[in-house]
Amino acid sequence: MKRTSPVKQILRAALAVVPLVANPACTPSAHGPNAVTPEGARAPMPPAEAARRSAEAQPAAAATAPATTEGARQFTQRVNDDLRRLWTRQATAEWIKSTYITDDTERNAATINEEVMAYLNQAIKEAARFKDVQGVDADSARMLHLLRVSSSLPAPSDAQKRAELASIAAKLEGLYGKGKYCGKDGKGQCKDLGELSDVLAKSRNYDELLDAWVGWHAISREMRPLYQRQVEISNEGAREIGFPDLGALWRSNYDMPPEAFEKEAQRLWGQVKPLYDELHCYVRTRLAKQYGEDKVPAGKAIPAHLLGNMWAQEWNNVYSLVEPYKGQPSLDVDAELKRQSYDAVRMVKTGEGFFTSLGLQQLPETFWQRSQFTKPRDRDVVCHASAWDVTYDNDLRIKMCIKPTEEDLVTIHHELGHNYYYTNYYKLPVLYQQGAHDGFHEAIGDAITLSITPGYLKQMGLLKAVPQGDKGLINLQMKDAMEKVAFLPFGLLVDQWRWEVFSGRVKPEDYNKSWWALREKYQGVRAPVERTEQDFDPGAKYHVPANVPYTRYFLARILQFQFHRALCQAAGHQGALHECSIYGNKEAGKRLQSMLAMGASKPWPDALEALTGQREMDASAILDYFAPLRRWLQEQNKGQKCGW
Ligand code: X8Z
Ligand code: ZN
């Protein structure tokens, strides 16, 4: 029987269907020019310049590597070397730009982003010469696959279009970063996203909330034509390297055919939807008490501005409105952080302390020197939190605008999770310097935060008393669920929308309508005022203009509980999952590291097995965790008109 070579199988699978996106973390630039920013690339490029740049971008590797097994090995080695150099230059330029937004730093980043795009387009085409080669070793075959799916924004080989794509991507991210609302008449005091988010989190005044929500959602209107063109050009780039559209490329990053991945995401959603529905029903009832039945009617989707967050993605900011039992010990960590004047460095040290308690190493000295912890007063920066290894060589950093809140303390752990992944795999070839899949990367820090129990917080002096008994437990679970469970449908729908857009099933004239149809379908949330196709509400969420795939966060919300369960087992925890903290447990730390060190060197089921013994993603851990709350919610919701 004729054997098909592994490379051929992989290339066929990818050509036939879905490739994955291999962005390791929330670093926009990592493994793909997500965040290209060329002010200077706005004008059409002269043909001579375009030709020069195309020629520069030729990867010499393939031309000299013969179509043999040895050639494949040489080729992938060369690509790893080239990419280490290119990605380091790219990440350096992106870091400088994101921490100091000016025309110059944007143009600088754009130039290198174009170069990386050109290189990848060429290298991926050259890699096709190995598809019929028999007996290619497993590592080379995997790297050829990872190369094909390594960019979330592939450019076509046409230099003009590549420059246009870089320019558009830059403008989109810039529009988001500079977005401000200056009052209805445009003459009020201007508020940025941080300030508007504070209103969403703290105000309980319906009209004030509405004003902040509408104000922020106006910043994305001008993104619409740019986004439409970005879709056209990047789809062309995806087709050139053998994918039907960009969504198919994104979905090919999960070691299974893209259609199988779509089904997998829906399977997981089916597992958790009943829990979400119970939470939604209860929260709506409580919001109706606060704002009135006329504003929050039973049986209808909830107005999107009442859930404490600009995108209604996490609802923990309105926990006080839904608190099940009064008179229990406070769960308010914010108050303690402020009272004790925690500064950003102390908060990050607290996060590091959790990881080192597991036996993981301290962060390198350079982390403390090079990170951006707080918002500089003298310049524009990208505040959306991210984690970096700028030189792919343990050059760890985080970039945040930290405020002394519990939300930011949680985000710090999230970002440090990325850094601890980086530090465990930085000695691998760069094509392997990624998570097993992108959801793994997003889940590490979050899994750690599941061990931030009230007992741990009390030990840290951040809670006065640990909640006791059934009432204490239900309050605690409600607070957790408002963050973790509430997020699930949002985590799924962002890319459900983009996949439809990329495939052309949703046309530009229906961008906004289809966005709200999905928000209503999955989240049970509706726009608080009439929207039209003048609006571009998806653009008001960072990851859309920044072109960061989002399904990873949905997967991470489920995986983090699966990881937590396995780590608790490794730590010898007996009893209910929600009672476990792995703080200080070295066995759990070792188990975690065994997975982190694999990077993307093996298909993700192998990595999952190393940590959990399971080869499938599984929502049973999140369901087990919230079992007490779910029973309680079912009781409360009896006789209510749930659903929408
Ligand atoms: O973007 C992030 C991280 C960086 S990877 C701060 N997150 C998503 C979001 O903010 O929408 C974490 C949770 C979901
Ligand atoms: Zn992240």
Side-chain angles (χ1 to χ4, degrees):
M1 202 174 74
K2 190 172 169 292
R3 266 184 65 243
T4 311
S5 76
V7 178
K8 196 168 178 181
Q9 285 169 8
I10 286 168
L11 289 175
R12 264 208 201 129
L15 282 165
V17 246
V18 226
L20 333 171
V21 129
N23 267 18
C26 34
T27 311
S29 64
H31 292 195
N34 269 337
V36 275
T37 328
E39 292 295 319
R42 274 188 197 139
M45 190 185 295
E49 170 63 3
R52 187 187 64 74
R53 292 199 197 179
S54 268
E56 266 178 10
Q58 299 281 341
T64 54
T68 61
T69 53
E70 180 53 21
R73 211 188 50 74
Q74 283 170 11
F75 176 78
T76 51
Q77 195 180 335
R78 175 72 182 271
V79 166
N80 268 306
D81 291 346
D82 290 344
L83 284 178
R84 179 184 285 275
R85 197 169 29 79
L86 283 166
W87 280 344
T88 297
R89 279 177 55 206
Q90 183 183 39
T92 305
E94 285 289 334
W95 174 269
I96 295 168
K97 182 199 75 179
S98 306
T99 56
Y100 191 176
I101 307 176
T102 69
D103 287 355
D104 293 334
T105 60
E106 287 189 350
R107 192 174 57 256
N108 187 47
T111 307
I112 175 68
N113 283 330
E114 274 186 65
E115 234 176 280
V116 175
M117 287 198 266
Y119 178 89
L120 286 173
N121 176 287
Q122 281 290 322
I124 291 166
K125 287 178 184 164
E126 299 289 356
R129 64 167 39 222
F130 302 108
K131 80 179 187 326
D132 290 325
V133 177
Q134 299 283 315
V136 169
D137 66 279
D139 276 320
S140 299
R142 181 152 182 83
M143 287 183 197
L144 288 170
H145 164 66
L146 291 172
L147 171 65
R148 285 194 80 233
V149 295
S150 63
S151 172
S152 51
L153 194 64
S157 46
D158 180 313
Q160 300 268 1
K161 286 186 181 157
R162 187 163 63 234
E164 190 184 353
L165 182 61
S167 167
I168 289 172
K171 280 186 212 160
L172 283 172
E173 214 210 355
L175 284 172
Y176 189 93
K178 291 174 208 149
K180 288 194 181 57
Y181 172 53
C182 308
K184 280 198 188 86
D185 57 3
K187 293 185 187 141
Q189 204 198 337
C190 298
K191 290 195 171 114
D192 63 18
L193 177 60
E195 290 159 319
L196 294 167
S197 292
D198 281 347
V199 176
L200 266 287
K202 293 191 187 119
S203 171
R204 303 293 182 244
N205 177 310
Y206 189 95
D207 292 330
E208 197 180 19
L209 289 164
L210 187 60
D211 184 58
W213 189 96
V214 171
W216 177 250
H217 282 77
I219 65 114
S220 47
R221 287 177 159 211
E222 56 183 310
M223 291 179 191
R224 176 185 276 264
L226 296 168
Y227 193 78
Q228 182 182 340
R229 182 71 181 139
Q230 177 171 287
V231 170
E232 280 168 16
I233 304 177
S234 55
N235 264 342
E236 209 178 299
R239 280 193 289 270
E240 273 192 25
I241 53 173
F243 298 98
D245 64 71
L246 184 57
L249 167 57
W250 287 13
R251 292 190 301 276
S252 294
N253 236 328
Y254 299 91
D255 297 311
M256 63 175 84
E259 319 80 60
F261 178 67
E262 269 187 87
K263 289 208 186 86
E264 182 63 355
Q266 288 297 333
R267 178 183 73 79
L268 293 166
W269 170 236
Q271 277 190 283
V272 293
K273 183 179 184 324
L275 173 60
Y276 178 77
D277 288 348
E278 297 284 357
L279 181 69
H280 180 281
C281 189
Y282 173 75
V283 168
R284 185 175 57 198
T285 310
R286 299 294 292 249
L287 290 178
K289 289 207 171 78
Q290 174 77 21
Y291 295 105
E293 285 274 350
D294 56 326
K295 299 275 198 312
V296 190
K300 292 238 167 71
I302 302 171
H305 64 312
L306 303 181
L307 288 153
N309 173 280
M310 193 57 82
W311 311 277
Q313 66 181 62
E314 279 144 349
W315 304 347
N316 39 309
N317 288 322
V318 294
Y319 169 73
S320 63
L321 299 182
V322 304
E323 188 177 53
Y325 297 107
K326 302 285 168 208
Q328 295 296 308
S330 166
L331 298 171
D332 186 1
V333 172
D334 283 13
E336 273 306 306
L337 288 170
K338 286 197 186 85
R339 201 182 62 76
Q340 298 180 38
S341 312
Y342 260 69
D343 65 9
V345 172
R346 186 162 170 213
M347 286 170 71
V348 181
K349 288 265 178 206
T350 306
E352 183 196 33
F354 203 110
F355 286 88
T356 54
S357 88
L358 305 176
L360 278 66
Q361 280 185 347
Q362 286 192 342
L363 294 160
E365 200 43 46
T366 49
F367 170 87
W368 303 99
Q369 292 155 356
R370 296 173 186 172
S371 287
Q372 177 199 289
F373 295 142
T374 51
K375 187 173 178 172
R377 269 178 296 187
D378 59 343
R379 58 186 197 260
D380 280 333
V381 300
V382 178
C383 275
H384 191 88
S386 54
W388 306 59
D389 177 356
V390 172
T391 61
Y392 294 79
D393 195 23
N394 213 30
D395 182 3
L396 309 180
R397 308 175 194 188
I398 61 173
K399 181 185 61 55
M400 287 186 67
C401 298
I402 298 174
K403 292 186 220 155
T405 62
E406 182 176 16
E407 193 168 329
D408 278 5
L409 190 62
V410 169
T411 302
I412 288 167
H413 287 79
H414 175 94
E415 298 307 334
L416 292 185
H418 289 308
N419 282 149
Y420 276 98
Y421 222 146
Y422 297 145
T423 197
N424 274 282
Y425 63 44
Y426 77 91
K427 293 193 175 136
L428 298 179
V430 284
L431 280 167
Y432 283 168
Q433 289 194 35
Q434 310 175 48
H437 68 50
D438 53 9
F440 280 59
H441 229 296
E442 298 301 338
I444 303 302
D446 290 7
I448 296 302
T449 64
L450 293 177
S451 284
I452 301 190
T453 54
Y456 168 79
L457 288 168
K458 181 150 183 276
Q459 207 176 320
M460 293 287 124
L462 288 171
L463 267 193
K464 289 229 166 63
V466 174
Q468 303 288 337
D470 288 351
K471 290 183 178 170
L473 172 64
I474 293 302
N475 274 7
L476 183 62
Q477 289 230 312
M478 180 65 80
K479 190 171 173 227
D480 285 350
M482 294 291 277
E483 186 203 332
K484 304 284 186 187
V485 177
F487 179 79
L488 290 160
F490 187 75
L492 187 65
L493 76 84
V494 175
D495 283 352
Q496 297 285 315
W497 181 80
R498 280 191 289 199
W499 294 350
E500 301 252 294
V501 165
F502 294 145
S503 75
R505 282 193 297 275
V506 163
K507 303 268 176 298
E509 57 268 29
D510 294 324
Y511 276 172
N512 222 50
K513 195 173 85 185
S514 57
W515 172 254
W516 284 105
L518 288 167
R519 298 222 35 202
E520 176 145 356
K521 175 180 168 191
Y522 284 103
Q523 283 185 291
V525 154
R526 66 186 160 87
V529 288
E530 202 194 322
R531 311 306 284 163
T532 72
E533 293 301 329
Q534 298 298 304
D535 300 304
F536 183 59
D537 294 324
K541 175 68 195 165
Y542 172 75
H543 302 69
V544 174
N547 197 49
V548 180
Y550 210 80
T551 310
R552 57 183 66 179
Y553 301 109
F554 169 72
L555 301 175
R557 275 307 137 121
I558 289 171
L559 277 172
Q560 62 190 255
F561 288 88
Q562 209 174 338
F563 293 174
H564 181 58
R565 180 167 65 189
L567 293 169
C568 290
Q569 274 160 10
H573 171 78
Q574 311 272 327
L577 189 57
H578 61 262
E579 287 166 353
C580 166
S581 173
I582 61 164
Y583 183 69
N585 192 287
K586 308 280 186 287
E587 275 310 308
K590 264 192 227 146
R591 186 74 78 82
L592 178 64
Q593 273 182 302
S594 70
M595 181 179 85
L596 300 182
M598 293 168 75
S601 63
K602 295 281 176 328
W604 64 260
D606 291 4
L608 187 60
E609 194 171 18
L611 175 58
T612 68
Q614 291 177 280
R615 295 185 61 82
E616 287 208 330
M617 293 186 277
D618 172 16
S620 69
I622 186 173
L623 296 177
D624 281 358
Y625 186 96
F626 285 112
L629 179 71
R630 188 165 174 190
R631 281 192 294 274
W632 185 87
L633 286 170
Q634 281 164 345
E635 271 304 305
Q636 307 304 309
N637 291 336
K638 271 191 189 146
Q640 296 290 339
K641 197 171 160 218
C642 291
W644 56 88

